[in-house]
Amino acid sequence: MKKYISLMLMSVVLLSCKTEMDRAMKSADKDFILKVANEKFAKKKWSDALALYDRLPNLVAGTDDAPNVVFNSAYANYYDKNYRLAANQFKNFVISFPQDPRKEEAAYLSALCYYEGSLQYNLDQSNTESAITELQNFLNDYPDSERSKNITQLVDELTYKLEFKAFENARQYYKMGEYKAAAVTFENVLEDFPATKLRPKIYDIIMKSKYELAINSIYDLKKERLDNAIAYTKRISTELPNSEYSKTAEDLNTKLEAEKIKFAALQVEVEKRKAEYDAKVKNAEAKENEKKELAQEKHQAKMEKSADQARRDSAKVNSPEPQATFKFKR
Protein backbone atom coordinates (compact mmCIF):
# COMPACT_ATOMS: atom_id res chain seq x y z
CA MET A 1 0.00 0.00 0.00
CA LYS A 2 2.80 2.40 0.95
CA LYS A 3 4.64 1.54 -2.27
CA TYR A 4 1.49 2.29 -4.24
CA ILE A 5 1.05 5.65 -2.52
CA SER A 6 4.70 6.55 -3.21
CA LEU A 7 4.30 5.76 -6.87
CA MET A 8 1.16 7.85 -7.00
CA LEU A 9 2.87 10.82 -5.36
CA MET A 10 5.82 10.52 -7.74
CA SER A 11 3.47 10.43 -10.71
CA VAL A 12 1.70 13.53 -9.45
CA VAL A 13 5.00 15.36 -9.01
CA LEU A 14 6.20 14.37 -12.48
CA LEU A 15 2.87 15.34 -13.98
CA SER A 16 2.94 18.71 -12.25
CA CYS A 17 6.52 19.31 -13.41
CA LYS A 18 5.64 18.38 -16.93
CA THR A 19 2.57 20.55 -16.78
CA GLU A 20 4.65 23.48 -15.49
CA MET A 21 7.23 22.98 -18.26
CA ASP A 22 4.50 22.80 -20.89
CA ARG A 23 2.87 25.94 -19.50
CA ALA A 24 6.20 27.78 -19.52
CA MET A 25 6.90 26.74 -23.11
CA LYS A 26 3.51 28.07 -24.19
CA SER A 27 3.47 31.13 -21.96
CA ALA A 28 4.29 34.72 -22.93
CA ASP A 29 4.87 35.70 -19.30
CA LYS A 30 8.55 36.60 -19.05
CA ASP A 31 8.71 36.21 -15.27
CA PHE A 32 7.04 32.81 -15.28
CA ILE A 33 9.27 31.48 -18.07
CA LEU A 34 12.36 32.81 -16.29
CA LYS A 35 11.27 31.30 -12.97
CA VAL A 36 10.77 27.84 -14.47
CA ALA A 37 14.00 28.12 -16.50
CA ASN A 38 16.01 28.99 -13.37
CA GLU A 39 14.40 26.10 -11.50
CA LYS A 40 15.36 23.68 -14.27
CA PHE A 41 18.88 25.14 -14.24
CA ALA A 42 19.16 24.66 -10.46
CA LYS A 43 18.02 21.05 -10.85
CA LYS A 44 20.67 20.53 -13.60
CA LYS A 45 18.03 19.74 -16.19
CA TRP A 46 20.05 21.43 -18.88
CA SER A 47 17.90 20.56 -21.90
CA ASP A 48 14.73 21.91 -20.29
CA ALA A 49 16.53 25.01 -19.04
CA LEU A 50 17.98 25.71 -22.48
CA ALA A 51 14.61 25.25 -24.17
CA LEU A 52 13.17 27.96 -21.90
CA TYR A 53 16.19 30.29 -22.01
CA ASP A 54 15.97 30.22 -25.81
CA ARG A 55 12.51 31.84 -25.53
CA LEU A 56 13.70 34.70 -23.32
CA PRO A 57 16.25 36.89 -25.20
CA ASN A 58 13.62 39.07 -26.89
CA LEU A 59 11.47 39.15 -23.76
CA VAL A 60 14.27 40.29 -21.42
CA ALA A 61 16.17 42.53 -23.86
CA GLY A 62 17.09 45.79 -22.14
CA THR A 63 16.09 44.54 -18.67
CA ASP A 64 18.20 43.55 -15.68
CA ASP A 65 17.40 39.93 -16.40
CA ALA A 66 19.17 39.92 -19.77
CA PRO A 67 22.72 39.27 -18.42
CA ASN A 68 21.53 36.36 -16.27
CA VAL A 69 19.69 34.74 -19.17
CA VAL A 70 22.77 34.88 -21.42
CA PHE A 71 25.11 33.78 -18.62
CA ASN A 72 22.95 30.88 -17.43
CA SER A 73 22.22 29.77 -20.98
CA ALA A 74 25.96 29.67 -21.70
CA TYR A 75 26.58 27.66 -18.54
CA ALA A 76 23.76 25.24 -19.39
CA ASN A 77 25.29 24.62 -22.80
CA TYR A 78 28.70 24.17 -21.17
CA TYR A 79 27.35 21.57 -18.72
CA ASP A 80 25.41 19.93 -21.56
CA LYS A 81 28.74 19.69 -23.47
CA ASN A 82 27.65 22.00 -26.27
CA TYR A 83 31.08 23.60 -26.09
CA ARG A 84 31.15 25.57 -29.32
CA LEU A 85 27.75 27.15 -28.63
CA ALA A 86 28.68 27.84 -25.00
CA ALA A 87 31.95 29.46 -26.10
CA ASN A 88 30.09 31.82 -28.42
CA GLN A 89 27.56 32.69 -25.72
CA PHE A 90 30.23 33.43 -23.11
CA LYS A 91 32.11 35.56 -25.63
CA ASN A 92 28.90 37.38 -26.51
CA PHE A 93 28.34 38.01 -22.77
CA VAL A 94 31.77 39.67 -22.50
CA ILE A 95 31.01 41.92 -25.47
CA SER A 96 27.41 42.72 -24.54
CA PHE A 97 27.95 43.35 -20.81
CA PRO A 98 31.46 44.78 -20.40
CA GLN A 99 30.64 46.24 -16.96
CA ASP A 100 29.27 43.02 -15.50
CA PRO A 101 31.48 41.65 -12.67
CA ARG A 102 31.24 38.19 -14.25
CA LYS A 103 33.01 39.39 -17.40
CA GLU A 104 36.34 37.76 -16.48
CA GLU A 105 34.65 34.49 -15.57
CA ALA A 106 32.81 34.48 -18.90
CA ALA A 107 36.05 35.19 -20.81
CA TYR A 108 37.77 32.33 -18.99
CA LEU A 109 34.89 29.93 -19.63
CA SER A 110 34.78 30.90 -23.29
CA ALA A 111 38.44 29.88 -23.63
CA LEU A 112 37.80 26.77 -21.53
CA CYS A 113 34.96 25.73 -23.86
CA TYR A 114 37.39 25.77 -26.79
CA TYR A 115 39.74 23.63 -24.71
CA GLU A 116 36.97 21.15 -23.89
CA GLY A 117 36.00 21.02 -27.57
CA SER A 118 39.49 19.97 -28.65
CA LEU A 119 39.36 16.53 -30.28
CA GLN A 120 41.75 13.60 -30.03
CA TYR A 121 45.11 14.13 -31.73
CA ASN A 122 44.28 11.85 -34.68
CA LEU A 123 41.19 13.93 -35.57
CA ASP A 124 40.79 17.44 -36.93
CA GLN A 125 42.71 19.92 -34.76
CA SER A 126 41.13 23.22 -35.82
CA ASN A 127 39.38 23.39 -32.41
CA THR A 128 42.72 22.84 -30.70
CA GLU A 129 44.31 25.72 -32.58
CA SER A 130 41.35 27.97 -31.75
CA ALA A 131 41.56 26.93 -28.09
CA ILE A 132 45.24 27.88 -27.89
CA THR A 133 44.45 31.28 -29.38
CA GLU A 134 41.55 31.89 -26.96
CA LEU A 135 43.55 30.81 -23.93
CA GLN A 136 46.44 33.06 -24.94
CA ASN A 137 44.01 35.93 -25.40
CA PHE A 138 42.76 35.40 -21.84
CA LEU A 139 46.32 35.47 -20.55
CA ASN A 140 46.93 38.73 -22.40
CA ASP A 141 43.70 40.32 -21.16
CA TYR A 142 43.91 39.07 -17.55
CA PRO A 143 47.60 38.43 -16.78
CA ASP A 144 47.10 38.82 -13.01
CA SER A 145 43.95 36.71 -12.75
CA GLU A 146 43.87 33.72 -10.41
CA ARG A 147 42.34 31.81 -13.30
CA SER A 148 45.50 32.39 -15.35
CA LYS A 149 47.50 30.01 -13.19
CA ASN A 150 46.37 26.88 -15.05
CA ILE A 151 46.13 28.52 -18.48
CA THR A 152 49.77 27.85 -19.30
CA GLN A 153 49.30 24.19 -18.40
CA LEU A 154 46.26 23.95 -20.67
CA VAL A 155 48.12 25.65 -23.53
CA ASP A 156 51.05 23.24 -23.09
CA GLU A 157 48.66 20.30 -23.16
CA LEU A 158 46.99 21.50 -26.36
CA THR A 159 50.32 22.35 -28.00
CA TYR A 160 51.59 18.88 -27.20
CA LYS A 161 48.52 17.44 -28.89
CA LEU A 162 49.43 19.35 -32.09
CA GLU A 163 53.05 18.25 -31.76
CA PHE A 164 52.06 14.63 -31.31
CA LYS A 165 49.75 14.73 -34.33
CA ALA A 166 52.59 16.14 -36.46
CA PHE A 167 54.93 13.51 -34.96
CA GLU A 168 52.59 10.66 -35.83
CA ASN A 169 52.04 11.96 -39.35
CA ALA A 170 55.80 12.09 -39.92
CA ARG A 171 56.32 8.66 -38.38
CA GLN A 172 53.98 7.14 -40.95
CA TYR A 173 56.61 7.86 -43.63
CA TYR A 174 59.21 6.02 -41.56
CA LYS A 175 56.91 3.03 -41.07
CA MET A 176 56.31 2.88 -44.83
CA GLY A 177 60.05 2.94 -45.54
CA GLU A 178 59.91 6.44 -47.06
CA TYR A 179 63.07 7.46 -45.22
CA LYS A 180 63.87 10.62 -47.13
CA ALA A 181 60.32 11.95 -46.64
CA ALA A 182 60.44 10.94 -42.97
CA ALA A 183 63.65 12.87 -42.32
CA VAL A 184 62.38 15.99 -44.08
CA THR A 185 58.97 15.88 -42.38
CA PHE A 186 60.49 15.44 -38.92
CA GLU A 187 62.82 18.37 -39.57
CA ASN A 188 59.70 20.42 -40.33
CA VAL A 189 58.16 19.31 -37.03
CA LEU A 190 61.23 20.58 -35.17
CA GLU A 191 60.99 23.86 -37.04
CA ASP A 192 57.28 24.26 -36.25
CA PHE A 193 57.67 23.22 -32.60
CA PRO A 194 61.19 24.22 -31.50
CA ALA A 195 60.38 23.62 -27.81
CA THR A 196 58.77 20.23 -28.33
CA LYS A 197 59.26 17.57 -25.67
CA LEU A 198 59.41 15.01 -28.47
CA ARG A 199 62.77 16.31 -29.73
CA PRO A 200 64.82 13.27 -28.52
CA LYS A 201 62.43 10.82 -30.22
CA ILE A 202 62.42 12.94 -33.37
CA TYR A 203 66.23 13.03 -33.40
CA ASP A 204 66.25 9.24 -33.06
CA ILE A 205 63.92 8.61 -35.99
CA ILE A 206 65.69 11.17 -38.21
CA MET A 207 68.99 9.43 -37.43
CA LYS A 208 67.55 6.00 -38.23
CA SER A 209 66.01 7.37 -41.44
CA LYS A 210 69.35 8.80 -42.53
CA TYR A 211 71.02 5.51 -41.67
CA GLU A 212 68.59 3.48 -43.78
CA LEU A 213 68.83 6.01 -46.60
CA ALA A 214 72.64 5.81 -46.58
CA ILE A 215 72.96 2.03 -46.27
CA ASN A 216 70.50 1.40 -49.10
CA SER A 217 71.52 4.34 -51.26
CA ILE A 218 72.32 4.30 -54.96
CA TYR A 219 76.02 4.53 -55.82
CA ASP A 220 76.11 8.16 -56.94
CA LEU A 221 74.54 9.46 -53.70
CA LYS A 222 75.99 6.99 -51.21
CA LYS A 223 79.10 8.86 -50.08
CA GLU A 224 77.16 12.06 -49.43
CA ARG A 225 74.45 10.20 -47.52
CA LEU A 226 76.97 8.21 -45.48
CA ASP A 227 78.73 11.41 -44.46
CA ASN A 228 75.40 13.02 -43.62
CA ALA A 229 74.25 10.09 -41.49
CA ILE A 230 77.58 9.87 -39.66
CA ALA A 231 77.45 13.59 -38.87
CA TYR A 232 73.94 13.16 -37.45
CA THR A 233 74.98 10.30 -35.16
CA LYS A 234 77.75 12.52 -33.78
CA ARG A 235 75.25 15.34 -33.26
CA ILE A 236 72.98 13.09 -31.19
CA SER A 237 75.92 11.80 -29.14
CA THR A 238 76.78 15.41 -28.37
CA GLU A 239 73.27 16.75 -27.68
CA LEU A 240 71.90 13.68 -25.88
CA PRO A 241 74.88 12.21 -24.03
CA ASN A 242 74.43 9.21 -21.75
CA SER A 243 70.98 8.44 -23.14
CA GLU A 244 69.42 5.49 -24.92
CA TYR A 245 69.55 7.60 -28.07
CA SER A 246 73.29 8.26 -27.79
CA LYS A 247 73.85 4.50 -27.38
CA THR A 248 71.89 3.88 -30.59
CA ALA A 249 73.87 6.66 -32.25
CA GLU A 250 77.18 4.98 -31.32
CA ASP A 251 76.01 1.63 -32.70
CA LEU A 252 74.83 3.14 -35.97
CA ASN A 253 77.99 5.24 -36.24
CA THR A 254 80.11 2.08 -36.03
CA LYS A 255 78.07 0.43 -38.80
CA LEU A 256 78.17 3.55 -40.96
CA GLU A 257 81.93 3.93 -40.62
CA ALA A 258 82.37 0.28 -41.61
CA GLU A 259 80.08 0.81 -44.58
CA LYS A 260 82.06 3.90 -45.53
CA ILE A 261 85.28 1.87 -45.61
CA LYS A 262 83.64 -0.80 -47.77
CA PHE A 263 82.27 1.84 -50.07
CA ALA A 264 85.67 3.54 -50.38
CA ALA A 265 87.17 0.19 -51.47
CA LEU A 266 84.31 -0.22 -53.91
CA GLN A 267 84.97 3.25 -55.28
CA VAL A 268 88.63 2.33 -55.91
CA GLU A 269 87.54 -0.83 -57.73
CA VAL A 270 84.94 1.07 -59.71
CA GLU A 271 87.46 3.73 -60.70
CA LYS A 272 89.93 1.02 -61.73
CA ARG A 273 87.35 -0.74 -63.88
CA LYS A 274 86.24 2.55 -65.28
CA ALA A 275 89.83 3.41 -66.24
CA GLU A 276 90.22 -0.01 -67.86
CA TYR A 277 86.99 0.41 -69.73
CA ASP A 278 87.95 3.92 -70.84
CA ALA A 279 91.31 2.57 -72.06
CA LYS A 280 89.56 -0.18 -74.03
CA VAL A 281 87.16 2.30 -75.50
CA LYS A 282 90.01 4.65 -76.38
CA ASN A 283 92.01 1.82 -77.96
CA ALA A 284 88.98 0.64 -79.91
CA GLU A 285 88.36 4.19 -81.08
CA ALA A 286 92.04 4.51 -82.15
CA LYS A 287 91.81 1.30 -84.17
CA GLU A 288 88.56 2.40 -85.69
CA ASN A 289 90.08 5.76 -86.60
CA GLU A 290 93.11 3.99 -88.08
CA LYS A 291 90.81 1.85 -90.23
CA LYS A 292 88.92 4.91 -91.32
CA GLU A 293 92.15 6.74 -92.21
CA LEU A 294 93.45 3.74 -94.16
CA ALA A 295 90.17 3.38 -96.00
CA GLN A 296 90.21 7.09 -96.71
CA GLU A 297 93.78 6.89 -98.07
CA LYS A 298 92.80 3.98 -100.35
CA HIS A 299 89.77 5.87 -101.49
CA GLN A 300 91.87 8.95 -102.14
CA ALA A 301 94.45 6.94 -104.11
CA LYS A 302 91.71 5.34 -106.14
CA MET A 303 90.16 8.70 -106.85
CA GLU A 304 93.52 10.13 -107.91
CA LYS A 305 94.14 7.15 -110.19
CA SER A 306 90.72 7.54 -111.75
CA ALA A 307 91.34 11.23 -112.25
CA ASP A 308 94.71 10.59 -113.90
CA GLN A 309 93.18 8.04 -116.24
CA ALA A 310 90.45 10.50 -117.11
CA ARG A 311 93.04 13.16 -117.97
CA ARG A 312 94.89 10.76 -120.24
CA ASP A 313 91.71 9.71 -121.99
CA SER A 314 90.76 13.32 -122.48
CA ALA A 315 94.16 14.12 -123.96
CA LYS A 316 93.77 11.37 -126.58
CA VAL A 317 90.41 12.66 -127.66
CA ASN A 318 91.53 16.26 -127.99
CA SER A 319 94.92 15.62 -129.74
CA PRO A 320 94.65 15.08 -133.71
CA GLU A 321 96.33 12.13 -135.39
CA PRO A 322 99.60 13.10 -137.22
CA GLN A 323 99.11 13.54 -141.09
CA ALA A 324 100.76 11.09 -143.58
CA THR A 325 104.11 12.12 -145.16
CA PHE A 326 104.47 11.53 -148.94
CA LYS A 327 107.85 10.93 -150.48
CA PHE A 328 108.49 11.76 -154.19
CA LYS A 329 110.91 9.82 -156.32
CA ARG A 330 113.66 11.80 -157.92
Side-chain angles (χ1 to χ4, degrees):
M1 185 67 178
K2 289 182 179 180
K3 185 176 181 181
Y4 177 75
I5 294 173
S6 297
L7 289 172
M8 286 294 292
L9 289 173
M10 187 178 296
S11 299
V12 170
V13 171
L14 290 173
L15 183 61
S16 64
C17 290
K18 183 176 181 181
T19 302
E20 189 177 49
M21 180 67 186
D22 290 341
R23 285 170 52 207
M25 287 297 294
K26 296 175 183 178
S27 176
D29 185 344
K30 175 201 72 172
D31 294 331
F32 177 66
I33 298 172
L34 184 58
K35 170 182 170 296
V36 178
N38 289 339
E39 289 174 353
K40 297 296 183 182
F41 183 87
K43 294 177 181 178
K44 300 182 180 180
K45 295 184 177 181
W46 312 122
S47 297
D48 288 346
L50 286 168
L52 294 171
Y53 283 135
D54 285 346
R55 300 194 63 233
L56 286 168
N58 292 333
L59 297 175
V60 300
T63 70
D64 293 339
D65 293 321
N68 289 334
V69 169
V70 177
F71 196 74
N72 284 1
S73 181
Y75 251 120
N77 274 308
Y78 173 73
Y79 289 132
D80 207 33
K81 298 184 180 181
N82 303 317
Y83 297 120
R84 179 54 66 89
L85 182 56
N88 291 334
Q89 287 179 323
F90 279 123
K91 187 177 291 188
N92 182 53
F93 181 89
V94 172
I95 297 171
S96 301
F97 310 105
Q99 304 304 319
D100 193 288
R102 295 169 293 183
K103 175 185 175 182
E104 180 187 316
E105 181 182 357
Y108 173 76
L109 284 164
S110 177
L112 194 61
C113 284
Y114 279 100
Y115 166 81
E116 295 290 354
S118 174
L119 303 177
Q120 294 179 347
Y121 79 89
N122 57 330
L123 301 176
D124 178 66
Q125 292 302 300
S126 56
N127 282 358
T128 302
E129 294 169 354
S130 298
I132 292 173
T133 300
E134 294 296 326
L135 290 167
Q136 290 287 6
N137 288 341
F138 182 83
L139 277 177
N140 296 336
D141 294 338
Y142 303 96
D144 300 323
S145 172
E146 285 293 317
R147 295 183 175 91
S148 296
K149 292 181 179 179
N150 73 324
I151 292 291
T152 302
Q153 180 181 345
L154 297 180
V155 170
D156 287 345
E157 180 184 332
L158 293 172
T159 301
Y160 181 78
K161 189 182 292 187
L162 295 179
E163 293 172 8
F164 194 72
K165 182 179 180 67
F167 176 87
E168 285 297 309
N169 288 342
R171 190 162 65 167
Q172 291 304 313
Y173 287 112
Y174 180 78
K175 289 180 178 179
M176 293 187 295
E178 299 288 342
Y179 301 117
K180 184 176 180 180
V184 171
T185 308
F186 272 119
E187 291 286 3
N188 291 338
V189 175
L190 290 175
E191 185 176 340
D192 293 338
F193 305 98
T196 178
K197 297 175 183 177
L198 296 168
R199 181 175 292 273
K201 291 183 179 180
I202 291 175
Y203 277 171
D204 184 57
I205 298 180
I206 291 176
M207 175 180 65
K208 290 175 180 177
S209 296
K210 289 180 178 291
Y211 169 82
E212 294 291 346
L213 198 61
I215 293 295
N216 300 294
S217 177
I218 60 174
Y219 180 86
D220 290 343
L221 297 176
K222 187 150 190 170
K223 185 180 183 305
E224 177 185 351
R225 287 175 173 174
L226 282 169
D227 290 340
N228 190 288
I230 289 171
Y232 209 86
T233 60
K234 292 178 179 177
R235 175 181 175 181
I236 291 183
S237 296
T238 301
E239 295 192 22
L240 304 172
N242 304 318
S243 67
E244 59 177 301
Y245 305 110
S246 63
K247 177 64 171 62
T248 302
E250 291 171 7
D251 292 341
L252 294 184
N253 180 273
T254 300
K255 294 177 181 179
L256 288 165
E257 290 289 359
E259 184 70 16
K260 187 175 180 180
I261 292 172
K262 286 171 57 180
F263 184 67
L266 176 63
Q267 282 183 302
V268 171
E269 183 65 23
V270 168
E271 290 300 320
K272 178 182 176 182
R273 292 185 180 182
K274 182 180 178 183
E276 292 174 351
Y277 175 78
D278 290 343
K280 288 182 179 179
V281 170
K282 189 175 182 180
N283 186 46
E285 289 177 348
K287 289 182 178 180
E288 185 65 25
N289 290 334
E290 185 178 349
K291 288 181 180 179
K292 288 181 180 180
E293 289 176 1
L294 182 60
Q296 187 174 1
E297 289 176 359
K298 289 182 178 180
H299 179 71
Q300 184 67 24
K302 184 177 180 181
M303 292 297 292
E304 289 177 356
K305 183 176 180 182
S306 297
D308 185 59
Q309 182 63 45
R311 283 194 297 270
R312 286 198 297 270
D313 292 343
S314 177
K316 287 181 179 180
V317 171
N318 295 326
S319 297
E321 290 288 336
Q323 295 181 358
T325 302
F326 296 96
K327 294 181 179 182
F328 296 95
K329 291 182 180 180
R330 293 183 182 184

